[in-house]
Amino acid sequence: AQSVTQPDIHITVSEGASLELRCNYSYGATPYLFWYVQSPGQGLQLLLKYFSGDTLVQGIKGFEAEFKRSQSSFNLRKPSVHWSDAAEYFCAVGPERYNFNKFYFGSGTKLNVKP
Amino acid sequence: DVKVTQSSRYLVKRTGEKVFLECVQDMDHENMFWYRQDPGLGLRLIYFSYDVKMKEKGDIPEGYSVSREKKERFSLILESASTNQTSMYLCASSLGGTGVHEQYFGPGTRLTVT
């Protein structure tokens, strides 16, 4: 069965430090992968997506993610975190085998940024 | 820009009440979704619709129903609200067809059932 695991529930980093958020997935074929961000009180905004091609994907707000098929991972990175990056981050994989509309979301990682 | 709006940001209802959550998108998307978001559980799909009057159950449809009478509007209905339906509800939309498309989310409705 398809699933997504985000092992870190909470992460705290200092402003200016680098960031890596982990995402592991279980999927029977080549996955479509997404990272979304949710600021407090807001809906989810797409940061980046991987469908095919170059395994290093650039997104908005200076984020990037790397698809590693051998490790079933799609980790999100940012070289220098800003206080405004404090939010919750969700990894998603899709589609379900018989349903192009269905994605699976991880349980989220909350990022705190220390001044 | 795609815009997905939800009728209420915060809602407080009593146990047993019938509750309507409304969602409207302005990008002519074929697909619309209702998710429930709970701490530690991520997003769980309640229902989705791939066309007007068409719907499919997601992972947790029990206690919910939906209505899609117009392409731009997708309603989630709690027939008889219960306290275990206290949650954040997120609506999303996407293009349809056989390809995989990103989903665009609304700001969410935080529902409290007392």
Side-chain angles (χ1 to χ4, degrees):
Chain A
Q2 296 91 336
S3 66
V4 179
T5 302
Q6 293 180 247
D8 305 304
I9 299 173
H10 287 101
I11 282 186
T12 298
V13 300
S14 297
E15 191 168 15
S18 64
L19 172 71
E20 183 168 30
L21 302 183
R22 295 183 291 166
C23 173
N24 295 100
Y25 63 87
S26 172
Y27 195 77
T30 300
Y32 293 76
L33 294 156
F34 306 82
W35 274 101
Y36 284 86
V37 61
Q38 184 180 35
S39 298
Q42 303 297 317
L44 275 68
Q45 180 186 18
L46 182 71
L47 282 175
L48 48 78
K49 61 187 178 187
Y50 172 78
F51 281 12
S52 65
D54 193 345
T55 56
L56 185 62
V57 181
Q58 301 298 320
I60 63 170
K61 305 186 181 188
F63 285 92
E64 66 178 27
E66 187 170 12
F67 170 53
K68 292 186 177 180
R69 185 189 301 273
S70 61
Q71 297 177 20
S72 298
S73 70
F74 188 56
N75 294 348
L76 182 71
R77 300 193 294 247
K78 187 169 185 178
S80 177
V81 169
H82 188 262
W83 63 266
S84 60
D85 294 324
E88 190 161 18
Y89 292 80
F90 292 91
C91 181
V93 64
E96 187 190 61
R97 184 175 179 184
Y98 299 108
N99 190 329
F100 285 103
N101 299 304
K102 191 170 180 184
F103 296 173
Y104 294 89
F105 285 83
S107 55
T109 298
K110 277 192 178 172
L111 173 65
N112 294 322
V113 180
K114 288 192 302 185
Chain B
D1 274 357
V2 176
K3 193 161 185 185
V4 180
T5 57
Q6 296 183 228
S7 51
S8 304
R9 295 297 300 272
Y10 299 93
L11 210 52
V12 180
K13 295 292 182 181
R14 294 193 181 276
T15 301
E17 278 193 81
K18 190 169 185 176
V19 181
F20 293 86
L21 303 183
E22 305 285 341
C23 175
V24 176
Q25 51 93 4
D26 66 357
M27 280 301 291
D28 204 33
H29 282 171
E30 289 79 11
N31 298 331
M32 295 189 75
F33 308 81
W34 275 107
Y35 292 91
R36 172 176 172 159
Q37 182 182 13
D38 299 290
L41 298 178
L43 277 68
R44 293 179 291 168
L45 183 63
I46 305 172
Y47 269 98
F48 70 92
S49 169
Y50 51 91
D51 202 349
V52 175
K53 297 191 186 293
M54 306 303 288
K55 62 186 180 186
E56 283 197 29
K57 293 180 180 179
D59 297 316
I60 52 165
E62 297 78 18
Y64 303 94
S65 62
V66 290
S67 172
R68 193 166 180 201
E69 297 296 319
K70 293 186 178 182
K71 190 174 184 180
E72 67 271 18
R73 188 180 297 270
F74 192 36
S75 302
L76 180 69
I77 304 156
L78 286 67
E79 295 289 343
S80 177
S82 64
T83 54
N84 63 12
Q85 292 178 309
T86 291
S87 187
M88 170 73 97
Y89 290 88
L90 293 170
C91 176
S93 71
S94 76
L95 289 169
T98 55
V100 177
H101 303 287
E102 65 191 76
Q103 295 179 14
Y104 295 85
F105 285 82
T109 295
R110 187 166 294 281
L111 173 67
T112 301
V113 182
T114 61

